[in-house]
Amino acid sequence: MGTLLQQIANGLIFGGLIAMVALGYTMVYGIIQLINFAHGEIFMTGAFGGLAVYSWVLPPAAQQIWYVALPAMLVGGAIVSVVVALLMERFAYRPLRNAPRLAPLITALGVSVFLQELVRIFFPGASSAVPFPNAFITAPLHIGSITIPASGLLMLIVSVVLSIVLETYVNGSRMGRAMRATAQDPDTARLMGINPDRVIVLTFAIGAVLAGVGGVLYGTYIHNVDPYIGFQNGLFAFAAAVLGGIGSIRGAVIGAFVIGLIKNLADIYLPGGTAYDYVWIFILLIAVLVFRPQGLFGEAERVRA
Amino acid sequence: MSTPVLQARDVSMVFGGLTALKNVSLNLDEGKIVGLIGPNGAGKTTFFNCLTGLYTPTTGQVLLKGAVLPGDPAEVTAAGVARTFQNIRLFPSMTVLENVLLGRHVRMRQGPLASLFHGPSFRRGEAAARDRARELLAFVGLGKVEDELSRNLPYGDQRRLEIARALATDPAVLLLDEPTAGMNPQETEAARQLIFRIRDLGISVVVIEHDTKFIFTLCDQVSVLVQGELLVEGTPDVVRGDPRVVEAYLGKPPEEVEAELQAVQEGETP
């Protein structure tokens, strides 16, 4: 029983992390129907951005005070991620806006490798895993029989709060409505006075803030980062977005928690253990897609008049 | 006479080798309803697209209150021209109220932080926009369905919702592309009354229609477009009696054609 609860807690924490990355996939897809395979690298650059702020910006005294250091790292990581995402949108994707869909997809893969290598070559020490500072309360929390790292709990809480804020923003604000309108019918949206470029930039920026914050929290939780964390976690996040119904915000979050739980429960309870957790996740994904190709919360594609 | 609120001067539109519009001019005076009729493929919708910035005319220009219309549809909307579509183009997965709120987009201001944290000014602005949207829904007669998804509305209501959404942009000029297509006589009559009430708000209206009887009893001025060229313009009486219209567009005496068109349209009503 203790193990089960512990694995559920770990699964929720991991799900929270994946949700922050999955939201970027799902939102960008919703607006421009692009699977941005380089989104995992936005997460990765956010983690390194936070690390850079800690190592080179914060004075040693401030490094010791978590409520100074961590917010600074989160803001720094988010800014780095946003800058990377906006450059990516402007120079890699925008020129291909009207190209066949395959072109931006291949470009995304190229951008992904480019960013991995950029960080590996130019970030000091990043040719192997770099230790990530303990920028948060280090004492774990004991709740009944289970033990949760404080940084894990923080990751879960931040993820849920940001998801709720995002959902409210998209449903109840002027630009949020503009985003949904652009996703449904960009031409008509333009006739409502909505500038699609602005909506696309905003979408990339929001996705990047979430990924950057996720990257810094991931580093704080796992204690080391390398240039390939974006690929691995990006893959889980992409699977979460597809599972939940790509284009749906709520779907991405729920998909992420399902994947987090499956992964951690499979580690203990399913044959193969940790070596096979990917297998179980993708078996579930395939099963869902067979019976519900639009994902759990996605809308079935309708033929437009 | 004062300057027309919307003025098209010698607008031509060429696609490749095809001339869709040739030197079409139109003057819309404030508070008037102008009708645009013509056979299928005459270039009516192309002309509308030129008036809303979707197309940039190959030659000629469009002036709104004396100023050249911007080349971008988003800016045209902000400048005060709104339209509806021949094929309804609502946002199907959004609610009726949200569709109208999207029409308010160009008239709302919300700071990025305010939208995240919902401060008092954000709430006031949102509430004002919602009130205005509800007012417009009541105005077009859709008071009770604001939370329905727009795709679930009956056809005639979708047309009215499109009009409410267009009105939400606070337009000086409203362009209606076949507002009564597929409507039964009662709905058509309601649409006529609605257009009169819109005119009474001080909004100038241009209407494209196939239903000539509808146009002749609605409009102050009528322009007839045939094969991309302006054939005749004038008051309904002048246009109705013009032999060139009878010949080129109607082909038969107007009463017979009206009866026929009426019959065809009723047959098409879904």
Side-chain angles (χ1 to χ4, degrees), chain A residues 165-166 168-182 184-196 199 299 302 304-305, chain B residues 52 54 72-74 77 83 85 89-94 98-99 101-106 108-110 112 115-116 118 122 126 130 151 165 169:
Chain A
V165 168
L166 181 65
T168 330
Y169 178 78
V170 169
N171 283 331
S173 77
R174 172 178 173 269
M175 282 312 285
R177 280 189 294 269
M179 288 168 83
R180 283 188 295 147
T182 307
Q184 286 182 31
D185 185 345
D187 294 334
T188 308
R190 198 199 278 275
L191 281 159
M192 297 295 108
I194 294 164
N195 179 338
V199 168
E299 284 192 35
R302 282 184 313 277
R304 262 196 209 145
Chain B
T52 47
L54 272 177
D72 176 54
T77 307
R83 73 173 290 182
F85 298 87
R89 288 173 67 172
L90 292 165
F91 298 102
S93 309
M94 296 174 87
E98 284 175 335
N99 269 278
L101 284 170
L102 276 161
R104 292 303 293 166
H105 184 85
V106 288
M108 292 173 79
R109 289 284 161 268
Q110 284 180 0
S115 325
L116 286 177
H118 293 203
F122 172 88
E126 257 319 278
R130 275 164 203 273
R151 65 164 179 256
R165 185 179 67 177
T169 65

Side-chain angles (χ1 to χ4, degrees), chain B residues 14 30 35 63 85 91 97-98 102 126 144-145 154-155 158 166 174 184 196 215 229 248 263-264 270:
Chain B
V14 181
E30 203 170 321
L63 306 177
F85 298 87
F91 298 102
L97 187 68
E98 284 175 335
L102 276 161
E126 257 319 278
K144 300 223 164 64
V145 292
Y155 186 78
Q158 293 197 3
L174 178 63
N184 64 33
F196 283 139
I215 284 284
E229 290 185 77
V264 169

Side-chain angles (χ1 to χ4, degrees), chain B residues 53-67:
Chain B
L54 272 177
Y55 296 159
T56 310
T58 314
T59 58
Q61 48 182 198
V62 182
L63 306 177
L64 179 70
K65 296 172 191 161

Side-chain angles (χ1 to χ4, degrees), chain B residues 19-245:
Chain B
T19 305
L21 290 173
K22 200 170 165 190
N23 298 329
V24 179
S25 294
L26 182 110
N27 286 329
L28 175 63
D29 291 317
E30 203 170 321
K32 298 286 183 198
I33 303 174
V34 169
L36 197 58
I37 58 173
N40 279 328
K44 301 183 297 289
T45 298
T46 305
F47 188 56
F48 261 27
N49 288 345
C50 289
L51 297 181
T52 47
L54 272 177
Y55 296 159
T56 310
T58 314
T59 58
Q61 48 182 198
V62 182
L63 306 177
L64 179 70
K65 296 172 191 161
V68 177
L69 209 63
D72 176 54
E75 289 171 38
V76 172
T77 307
V81 179
R83 73 173 290 182
T84 64
F85 298 87
Q86 186 179 348
N87 309 315
I88 297 173
R89 288 173 67 172
L90 292 165
F91 298 102
S93 309
M94 296 174 87
T95 68
V96 168
L97 187 68
E98 284 175 335
N99 269 278
V100 184
L101 284 170
L102 276 161
R104 292 303 293 166
H105 184 85
V106 288
R107 305 292 171 224
M108 292 173 79
R109 289 284 161 268
Q110 284 180 0
L113 287 179
S115 325
L116 286 177
F117 300 110
H118 293 203
S121 77
F122 172 88
R123 279 184 223 178
R124 267 198 306 278
E126 257 319 278
R130 275 164 203 273
D131 287 347
R132 177 89 179 109
R134 291 197 179 104
E135 236 174 77
L136 289 167
L137 284 172
F139 180 79
V140 301
L142 288 175
K144 300 223 164 64
V145 292
E146 61 174 60
D147 292 325
E148 282 287 333
L149 293 185
S150 70
R151 65 164 179 256
N152 295 339
L153 290 191
Y155 186 78
D157 287 355
Q158 293 197 3
R159 289 221 172 266
R160 287 193 282 173
L161 175 54
E162 245 198 345
I163 292 175
R165 185 179 67 177
L167 289 175
T169 65
D170 294 343
V173 176
L174 178 63
L175 309 176
L176 300 171
D177 198 343
E178 300 200 18
T180 68
M183 284 188 174
N184 64 33
Q186 288 82 356
E187 287 173 324
T188 304
E189 183 50 33
R192 183 207 315 278
Q193 295 308 326
L194 179 59
I195 295 169
F196 283 139
R197 284 192 289 133
I198 291 169
R199 192 254 334 258
D200 294 342
L201 294 175
I203 297 169
S204 316
V205 184
V206 186
V207 187
I208 290 179
E209 253 311 335
H210 277 128
D211 184 345
T212 49
K213 186 176 155 201
F214 181 78
I215 284 284
F216 288 143
T217 54
L218 177 78
C219 299
D220 302 301
Q221 293 278 319
V222 177
S223 293
V224 184
L225 215 53
V226 173
Q227 293 186 338
E229 290 185 77
L230 197 60
L231 188 70
V232 183
E233 60 178 332
T235 61
D237 287 339
V238 170
V239 172
R240 196 204 291 262
D242 192 296
R244 285 170 300 170
V245 177

Side-chain angles (χ1 to χ4, degrees), chain A residues 40 91-92 110-112 115 124 130 301:
Chain A
F91 294 106
V111 171
S112 168
L115 288 171
V130 188
E301 205 153 311

Side-chain angles (χ1 to χ4, degrees), chain A residues 117-147:
Chain A
E117 293 306 297
L118 200 69
V119 171
R120 186 179 67 84
I121 294 167
F122 291 105
F123 197 95
S127 49
S128 57
V130 188
F132 201 93
N134 271 322
F136 192 54
I137 303 164
T138 44
L141 287 86
H142 300 281
I143 304 168
S145 61
I146 61 175
T147 306

